[in-house]
Each structure stands twice: as C-alpha cells, then as structure tokens.
Amino acid sequence: MIRRASAGVFAITFLFTISLANPAAGPAPGVPLGRFPVEAHGNHLFVKVRVNGSAPLDFVLDTGASDCGLDRRRADELHIPLEPLEGQTDIGTGEGEPGIAMARNVTLGIGGVELSDRVVYAVPFGELSAAAGRRIDGVIGADLFREY
C-alpha cells in the first residue's frame, strides 16, 4: 500500500516476517515468530520497536550494522544503565555528542515478539536523524538477523 506522508514523501508499508527460529524458544527453523509492518522512508526501512516495554520507537533495519543500536538520548530517557566503552569516544556520528556505550539485558519488542537479554549499543544518532530527515531512535543490526 502506498500513502502520502505529511512531509510529501511517499511511504511504502508492507509486512516483514521474523522467519527464522529462535534457538532458545525451540520452534523449528523457518517457522515465523511474528510479523511486523515496515515503512520505507528514502533509502531506509523503519520498524516500530519497544525497548524494555517503552512506547514504540522508530528503528532502521540495517544489515550493514554489525549490532543493534539505540540513540544515546533515548537510552537516557528510558533510564537504561549504560557502560562506557573505553577508547570509544567518537564514532563519527556528530561532534560534541557523547560517545558510544553498551547496555546489557535489554528487551526489544518487535511485532509482538519479545527478544530479551540483548546487548545494545547506545550511539548518538542526532546528525544521522537530521541527514535522514526523520528521527532515528535505533538500528536493528545484522546480529539479530543472524540469530533469528
């Protein structure tokens, strides 16, 4: 289905299926764990993700990202405990923003599926959001695709 977004950008919405088995849960490989809508905006695919039971946040599906990430400001707003990573002060996401940190035991809710005990990296996405023309709260990286 194609609909006009308020900013005059066309958004394409379709369903994406988490289609590989969760090794901890035990379903057979290829059995869908759930479905969730995906929205295209520019060159990015966005999904709604709940972090530790939060309201839905806008995450980008990015198989080029090695791990899942959460905007540093959202992590602070959600009071997620962060562990600074030594030597990781600037990763090229914007001058003056805090560096990368790690959060353990995070639960990501995607399309009714709860993925618990995740490690997520808190990264400042301010300039990336500005460049994309839309707020980016986080990234679903390749680690999730490898596991599920």
Side-chain angles (χ1 to χ4, degrees), residues 36 40 43 46 57 62 65 69 72 78-79 82 85 88 92 102-103 109 114 124-125:
F36 53 91
N43 292 328
F46 283 84
L57 301 172
D62 185 356
R72 180 74 182 246
L78 296 171
H79 307 288
L82 299 175
L85 296 178
Q88 298 289 329
M102 181 174 57
E114 296 288 316
F125 286 141

Side-chain angles (χ1 to χ4, degrees), residues 49-51 53-57 78:
V49 176
R50 293 179 185 272
V51 178
S54 72
L57 301 172
L78 296 171

Side-chain angles (χ1 to χ4, degrees), residues 32-71:
L33 294 175
R35 291 178 172 230
F36 53 91
V38 175
E39 182 182 343
H41 180 85
N43 292 328
H44 304 289
L45 295 177
F46 283 84
V47 297
K48 296 291 186 185
V49 176
R50 293 179 185 272
V51 178
N52 291 348
S54 72
L57 301 172
D58 293 320
F59 275 55
V60 172
L61 291 175
D62 185 356
T63 58
S66 58
D67 298 293
C68 291
L70 176 64
D71 181 68

Side-chain angles (χ1 to χ4, degrees), residues 67-70 72 75 80-86 88 99-106 118-123:
D67 298 293
C68 291
L70 176 64
R72 180 74 182 246
I80 294 175
L82 299 175
E83 302 171 26
L85 296 178
E86 297 299 321
Q88 298 289 329
I100 187 170
M102 181 174 57
R104 297 179 191 271
N105 303 314
V106 174
R118 309 290 318 163
V119 171
V120 175
Y121 294 91
V123 179

